[in-house]
């Protein structure tokens, strides 16, 4: 009982640290796309670990924790992909550090072919 | 009515029910079975979500290997992005690169895009047929082939066997 409590608490703590780093990334990153990177996804492991820690502390909840983790893993990438795609279609600019934007080139090429 | 499809949906919803209840009482098992059969037959006799899944021992083995590789990548890249955030000079080199995929099925492409998006550092922005546009936090190469090898190949070889 004691040892399970300890392991679960440590796992949850590591998860909380990852969520904190994700939040810090939102503040520090220069543009929307990089913020999405750290905000929605550096926190993926954080969310998973926090919920897994609860599942370890209380084994009766392990099944529920597993289902929550699988739903987080299914919906998280879809939402961040949709946000990024919508932002790019609206023309939200990338930061000055950006090296290359192949998608813009591809869209420009398609427009040329249509004309 | 597609029997294979219905059976797959039944197994999925029954496993979900069992995990939610976490008990093996007879009444729980029977209620779950009835509800799962109803869901599978009434709601999902025509849906095509799992149509393209191949059911063979090899594809199961590759599915397990895929999950393993995916977890390793997830943990590795989480640490990578966390280190970038913590470094005072913020060493990022972002850009949107183009990669090519050899997968044909829709569910295979979806899983590939989701796996790429879930590993921090890479984010699928758009998909046009077999071209994927990926926002990469640290662009090491702008060449299509190089980028494909760095981002896609590690997941693709497993998905290719699973879905083709």
């Amino acid at each position: 009982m004691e040892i399970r409590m300890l392991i679960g608490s440590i796992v949850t703590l590591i998860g909380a640290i990852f969520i904190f780093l994700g939040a810090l990334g939102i503040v520090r990153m220069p543009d929307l796309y990089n913020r999405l990177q750290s905000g929605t996804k550096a926190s993926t492991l954080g969310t998973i670990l926090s919920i897994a820690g609860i599942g370890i502390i209380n084994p009766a909840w392990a099944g529920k924790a597993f289902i929550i983790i699988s739903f987080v893993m299914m919906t998280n990438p879809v939402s961040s992909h949709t946000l990024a795609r919508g932002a790019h279609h609206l023309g939200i600019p990338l930061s000055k550090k950006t090296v290359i934007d192949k998608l813009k080139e591809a869209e420009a090429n398609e427009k040329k072919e249509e004309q | 009515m597609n029997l294979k499809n219905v059976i797959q949906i039944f197994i999925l919803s029954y496993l979900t029910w069992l995990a939610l209840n976490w008990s093996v009482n007879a009444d729980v098992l029977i209620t779950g079975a009835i509800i799962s059969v109803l869901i599978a037959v009434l709601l999902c006799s025509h849906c095509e979500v799992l149509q393209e899944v191949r059911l063979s021992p090899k594809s199961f083995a590759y599915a397990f290997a895929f999950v393993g590789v995916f977890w390793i990548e997830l943990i590795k890249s989480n640490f990578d992005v966390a280190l970038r955030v913590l470094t005072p000079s913020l060493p990022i080199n972002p850009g949107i690169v183009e990669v090519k995929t050899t997968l044909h099925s829709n569910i295979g492409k979806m899983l590939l895009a989701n796996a790429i998006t879930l590993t921090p550092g890479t984010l699928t922005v758009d998909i046009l047929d077999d071209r994927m546009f990926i926002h990469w936090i640290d662009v090491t190469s702008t060449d299509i082939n190089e980028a494909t090898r760095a981002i896609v190949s590690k997941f693709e070889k497993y998905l290719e066997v699973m879905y083709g």
Side-chain angles (χ1 to χ4, degrees), chain A residues 32-54:
Chain A
L32 183 134
Y33 304 94
N34 289 308
R35 287 190 176 133
L36 273 181
Q37 295 267 17
S38 71
T40 63
K41 297 188 289 107
S43 58
T44 316
L45 192 62
T47 318
I48 291 171
L49 286 178
S50 318
I51 297 169
I54 292 169

Side-chain angles (χ1 to χ4, degrees), chain B residues 6 15 19 25 35 38 67 70 75 77 90 107-108 127 139 159:
Chain B
V6 168
L15 284 181
N25 289 338
I35 294 172
L38 282 180
V67 172
F70 171 73
I75 291 167
S77 52
L90 202 64
I107 191 163
I127 304 177
V139 177
L159 290 171

Side-chain angles (χ1 to χ4, degrees), chain A residues 28 41-42 81 85 99-100 102, chain B residues 85 88 94 96 117 124 126 142:
Chain A
R28 293 205 61 201
K41 297 188 289 107
H81 157 70
R85 188 164 183 266
V99 193
I100 189 170
K102 279 268 174 76
Chain B
V85 170
I96 296 179
T117 306
T124 316
D126 212 343
T142 57

Side-chain angles (χ1 to χ4, degrees), chain B residues 94 110 117 125 130:
Chain B
M110 184 198 83
T117 306
V125 178
D130 65 337

